[in-house]
Amino acid sequence: GELPGVNELGEAIRILSDSENPQSSQDDLSDFEYLRRKAYDLAHQSFGNRIYIRGLIEFTNICKNDCYYCGIRKSNSHVDRYRLTMDQILACADEGYVLGFRTFVLQGGEDGGFSDEAIADIVRCIKERYPDCAVTLSFGEHPYETYRLWRMAGADRYLLRHETADRVHYERLHPDSMSYDNRVRCLYNLKSLGYQVGSGFMVGSPYQTPVNLAEDLHFLAKLQPQMIGIGPYVPHKETPFAKMKQGTVRQTLVMISLLRLMFPKALIPSTTSLGTIAADGRERGFMHGANVVMPNLSPVSVRKKYELYDNKICTGEESAQCRGCLDRRAEAFGFQVVVDRGDPL
Ligand code: SAM
Ligand code: FES
């Protein structure tokens, strides 16, 4: 049915996120556990115990933007900047294919060093070599015509988190050179071009209130994306927000569950940032309704350079080790990682 208004919904999010919350109103379960079971059951009805994997290729850490929260922002002079070559990117895909990946996510900072045509070429090459795979781009804001070029080149999906649906909050997280309106315009352009669209937000980002999170849910209800990526805000020591509090596991799990209730068939990853703030974070994400995980396929030599936040996990492992590790972790919680493109149902 209808979503509650943002004030009412915000209050519910606030109470659910409070680990001191004593109330148990549903069959003696805490509201938090009741919500988890509902979300878990819905995910199970849609996907069974199947977890989809996406191979993440972090192809550049060069960025023209300066988001206050992000470790690879342009003002961070401590970053050792890199760009992968076409051959390096294809080698990541080759390795991933053998490991059972059928979706490749090309993610990068907004690096003007790649022309629109160069990105189109990369997409075409991967699609030619692996026609049974989906290619997802996660490369920030671009004009409609550029998104169209990449779509024509074969890109199937695009990930662009809206980050926050509250305009004033958006402006506190980003410098004046970035605009909330453009972010939203990009998302609707991507939709109209026939991409499968992923959006999402950070949980516990600086200055965020529970009402902001309610606004995020309202925004997503309107946008109706196929994929929704959320994860806790985690500070990075070389950013203006270095001293800000990180998001909590509890609130992230609450938001994953609420998203699952709203979108029973959506593709919802249990993110690396959740796995970073808690050793069992990604597994708990699955138990609260998530059904996707995005292991790192980037060359080990660059992984530590794509540091969006402090202490990011899985930066020292080979791709094969990550695949094996995730399989075992998922199985321990009753899930099965599958070889599948994982398209929307
Ligand atoms: N440049 C592209 C974009 O902006 O969409 C893709 C790369 S960007 C680094 C990917 C995501 O990382 C962002 O959407 C943001 O939500 C997340 N991120 C950045 N800094 C973070 C932090 N400190 N903690 C948690 N997530 C962060
Ligand atoms: Fe990378 Fe476990 S997922 S080591």
Side-chain angles (χ1 to χ4, degrees), residues 13-83:
I13 291 168
R14 190 188 64 75
I15 293 170
L16 283 162
S17 305
D18 180 358
S19 53
E20 315 277 273
N21 167 28
Q23 62 173 303
S24 45
S25 48
Q26 310 280 353
D27 303 327
D28 274 349
L29 296 175
S30 70
D31 290 342
F32 176 69
E33 174 61 11
Y34 181 78
L35 174 64
R36 185 195 73 74
R37 291 197 189 178
K38 288 276 178 207
Y40 178 94
D41 288 346
L42 277 171
H44 200 271
Q45 276 167 33
S46 299
F47 302 99
N49 70 342
R50 296 154 57 87
I51 299 290
Y52 297 124
I53 45 175
R54 308 350 188 150
L56 187 62
I57 304 173
E58 297 155 338
F59 70 99
T60 173
N61 69 350
I62 298 173
C63 194
K64 69 174 167 63
N65 290 332
D66 224 9
C67 307
Y68 299 137
Y69 47 83
C70 186
I72 62 170
R73 62 199 302 269
K74 77 159 180 236
S75 295
N76 184 0
S77 57
H78 297 85
V79 181
D80 186 4
R81 306 283 174 174
Y82 72 89
R83 273 183 195 122

Side-chain angles (χ1 to χ4, degrees), residues 35 38-40 42 256-264 268:
L35 174 64
K38 288 276 178 207
Y40 178 94
L42 277 171
I256 289 174
S257 295
L258 290 175
L259 287 167
R260 177 57 70 204
L261 260 50
M262 288 172 61
F263 302 97
I268 302 179

Side-chain angles (χ1 to χ4, degrees), residues 189-226:
N189 283 345
L190 289 162
K191 261 195 96 166
S192 75
L193 285 163
Y195 283 93
Q196 296 168 22
V197 169
S199 197
F201 52 89
M202 286 178 289
V203 177
S205 60
Y207 313 114
Q208 184 183 66
T209 65
V211 171
N212 293 153
L213 288 167
E215 292 172 304
D216 288 323
L217 297 183
H218 276 254
F219 174 83
L220 293 169
K222 240 201 288 169
L223 178 67
Q224 290 288 318
Q226 284 87 357

